[in-house]
Amino acid sequence: MSEIEILAFAKINLYLEVLKKRDDGYHEVETIFQSINLSDTLHFVSIRERKKIVVFCNHPDLPLGRKNLVYQAAQLVFEKFNLPGGVKIEIKKKIPVGGGLGGGSTDAAATLIGLTSLYELDLSEIELWSLAQKLGCDVPFFLKGGTALGKGRGDKIASLAPLPETIFLLVLPGFSVSTTWAYQQLNAVRNRNLSTAEQPISNGVKNYLTKKTKSVKIIQESIERRDCKNLGHHLYNRLEKSVFKKYPELQTIKEDLLKAGASGALMSGSGSTIFGIFPEEKLARGAAFQMKRKGYKVLVTQNCQRGWELKNSNIKNQNHL
C-alpha cells in the first residue's frame, strides 16, 4: 500500500478588483493572493479497485461525491492517465468552508500534487496547470502559493516578491457568503447604471467598474519595499460594498479590527472572513481576545510562501496496481 499526506494552505486576498464580465460568464479580475499558515490535511492511500475514488471528511457539511472538488480533481487525473488502481482520500478540514479562504481550491490543488506523487506520474508543470484551470479559477495559484498576482479569471498567475513575515488576525463570523451571489450583485450594479446612451460595447461586455479607489501597483510596491503598514492602508476588495450591505456585521468586524490597532483590515475574497494586519503578535492576540468576547471564532496566523507541503510519505512501487 502506498500513501502520502499533504498540507493544503489557505489564502487571503490583499487586493481584489473586478474589471468586467467575460463572454464565458466569468469575471475578469485583478487580485493579489497571499498564502497563510492555516491548512487542511489530505491523506491519500492507493487501493486496488480500478478508478475507485473514495473521499472522507471530518466536516459534516462538505459534499463527498462528485460535487466535491477533491473528487473532481482525482477523477481528472484518473481519466487522463487511465490509472490501474484507485484512491481513498481523507480530508481533515481546518480551513472554514465558505469563508473566502480558498479551502476547496487548495484541497483540489493538493489532490493533483498528491496523486502525481502517489502514482509517480510524469506530469509536466503545464499539464498540471491545465488540470488546475479546469477545476476552478484560483486552483492554479495553490500549486505554488506564496505571494502572487492573479489576472484573467484569477487563473493567470505571476509570482511576486515574498511578503515579509506578517501577522494576520482572521475573524470568522460563523456564516458563509455565496461567491455566485456576491458577483451577481456587481452585475446588478452594471444593469442599474447602464443608460440608454451608454450601451454595451460590441463584444457584449461593458467595463462597468472603471472607477478605482485603490491601485494594485501600490500593493505591489508596498510588498517590494516590505512596508506592511502602507500595505495595510491600501488593502482593497471590490466585493465589500455589496456584501457589507447585506451583512453589515462584517463591516462592524472590520471597523473593530482597525480600532484594535490593525494597520489595515479587509474581507477576503467574497467573504465571510475578515482579516486584519497587525504590526506585532501581542497586539493581534489582544484584538483576538476582544473579538472572542463578542462571540467570534478567531485565528492568529502569518503569511507563508507555499501552497502545499508534503507532511509524510510511504510510496512503494506495486506492479499489481
Side-chain angles (χ1 to χ4, degrees):
M1 180 184 295
S2 297
E3 57 186 279
I4 190 170
E5 194 165 76
I6 292 180
L7 299 180
F9 292 96
K11 62 82 180 171
I12 54 176
N13 299 84
L14 302 176
Y15 178 92
L16 177 56
E17 176 64 285
V18 184
L19 301 172
K20 64 182 181 180
K21 191 173 182 182
R22 298 157 46 113
D23 290 336
D24 59 10
Y26 289 94
H27 286 78
E28 194 83 13
V29 303
E30 193 172 50
T31 187
I32 292 185
F33 296 110
Q34 176 60 58
S35 298
I36 56 174
N37 269 327
L38 169 64
S39 63
D40 292 341
T41 303
L42 285 81
H43 190 114
F44 303 84
V45 180
S46 62
I47 58 178
R48 292 174 179 269
E49 291 90 339
R50 184 176 174 83
K51 294 186 179 180
K52 185 177 179 64
I53 302 169
V54 183
V55 179
F56 302 92
C57 184
N58 63 342
H59 195 294
D61 297 331
L62 205 68
L64 301 180
R66 297 180 185 275
K67 292 184 178 181
N68 186 289
L69 271 181
V70 165
Y71 186 101
Q72 294 170 25
Q75 191 173 43
L76 277 179
V77 175
F78 277 96
E79 289 177 353
K80 179 175 179 63
F81 289 92
N82 195 28
L83 298 180
V87 67
K88 288 184 179 180
I89 307 172
E90 182 183 5
I91 309 169
K92 297 178 181 177
K93 292 291 295 181
K94 286 188 178 178
I95 303 173
V97 176
L101 300 174
S105 295
T106 190
D107 290 350
T111 299
L112 296 178
I113 298 294
L115 290 179
T116 298
S117 300
L118 188 68
Y119 278 94
E120 298 179 306
L121 303 175
D122 184 17
L123 193 62
S124 71
E125 185 175 323
I126 293 176
E127 288 175 309
L128 198 62
W129 206 265
S130 178
L131 291 177
Q133 285 181 311
K134 293 178 181 179
L135 293 165
C137 299
D138 56 357
V139 177
F141 162 73
F142 291 103
L143 294 177
K144 288 188 176 181
T147 311
L149 173 66
K151 291 189 174 183
R153 300 183 307 158
D155 58 344
K156 295 179 180 178
I157 305 298
S159 295
L160 299 176
L163 189 70
E165 184 174 308
T166 305
I167 303 299
F168 297 100
L169 170 60
L170 309 184
V171 181
L172 314 173
F175 58 85
S176 61
V177 175
S178 166
T179 299
T180 301
W181 173 86
Y183 279 91
Q184 284 174 344
Q185 305 316 298
L186 297 182
N187 297 337
V189 169
R190 179 194 63 173
N191 293 333
R192 287 196 299 267
N193 292 341
L194 193 61
S195 66
T196 305
E198 190 180 35
Q199 295 301 320
I201 54 181
S202 58
N203 66 358
V205 176
K206 180 176 177 57
N207 190 343
Y208 57 94
L209 294 172
T210 55
K211 184 179 179 181
K212 293 186 180 182
T213 59
K214 302 288 183 180
S215 166
V216 69
K217 291 183 179 179
I218 296 177
I219 300 290
Q220 289 180 256
E221 290 169 359
S222 298
I223 293 171
E224 290 170 0
R225 295 199 307 266
R226 303 175 69 84
D227 187 347
C228 291
K229 184 176 181 180
N230 193 61
L231 170 66
H233 291 165
H234 290 89
L235 299 174
Y236 178 71
N237 185 338
R238 171 65 72 176
L239 299 176
E240 274 192 343
K241 185 175 180 180
S242 56
V243 173
F244 284 1
K245 186 175 181 180
K246 183 175 181 181
Y247 303 98
E249 181 180 356
L250 299 181
Q251 183 169 358
T252 301
I253 292 173
K254 178 177 178 175
E255 292 169 354
D256 286 345
L257 289 178
L258 294 172
K259 290 176 184 176
S263 60
L266 196 71
M267 180 180 76
S268 183
S270 59
S272 59
T273 302
I274 306 293
F275 69 88
I277 298 179
F278 284 83
E280 57 184 41
E281 184 174 345
K282 183 178 179 180
L283 194 60
R285 294 202 175 277
F289 178 76
Q290 294 178 34
M291 300 309 294
K292 281 186 72 174
R293 290 186 64 180
K294 294 184 177 183
Y296 296 114
K297 183 177 179 181
V298 298
L299 176 68
V300 176
T301 185
Q302 63 185 52
N303 56 305
C304 65
Q305 286 305 122
R306 58 204 185 280
W308 57 275
E309 180 182 304
L310 178 63
K311 192 174 181 183
N312 58 58
S313 175
N314 177 23
I315 299 176
K316 302 175 183 177
N317 290 321
Q318 298 187 35
N319 294 329
H320 60 270
L321 283 178

